[in-house]
Amino acid sequence: MSEDSSLRLYALRVLERVQLRDLARTRRWIAEEEGHVAEIAARRPPPPPPEWVVERGIDGRRSPVAIHAGDCPMAGHGGPEGLAPPAETPL
């Protein structure tokens, strides 16, 4: 009985080493793939800024307070919420 237990324990240790090796290989593959994805993303140009950005106030309703051109350096300081309504629409 003791010999059977020793053989089973030995077999389990071998299995553990094999699985650890496989896990290390899988982690290498994941790291390589993440590197490829990052490389592709770095080559892609950034998206153009939106044409218009709505600046929202700090009141509870986050009411619109200003409309900025998308490339305005002040755009985004109040939490841009997407495109502005047409100019004739009252805020």
Side-chain angles (χ1 to χ4, degrees), residues 70-87:
D71 58 355
C72 173
M74 292 302 293
H77 287 263
E81 295 290 332
L83 297 177

Side-chain angles (χ1 to χ4, degrees), residues 16-87:
E16 179 185 36
R17 284 193 304 270
V18 168
Q19 289 178 333
L20 287 172
R21 185 191 66 216
D22 288 346
L23 179 59
R25 182 180 57 210
T26 301
R27 287 181 173 159
R28 277 194 314 272
W29 290 343
I30 289 170
E32 288 173 10
E33 192 61 31
E34 288 172 340
H36 292 308
V37 168
E39 197 176 296
I40 290 169
R43 283 187 262 156
R44 198 174 301 141
E51 197 170 331
W52 300 101
V53 177
V54 176
E55 180 181 338
R56 301 287 181 169
I58 59 173
D59 63 349
R61 298 178 303 153
R62 306 249 321 131
S63 303
V65 293
I67 298 174
H68 297 272
D71 58 355
C72 173
M74 292 302 293
H77 287 263
E81 295 290 332
L83 297 177

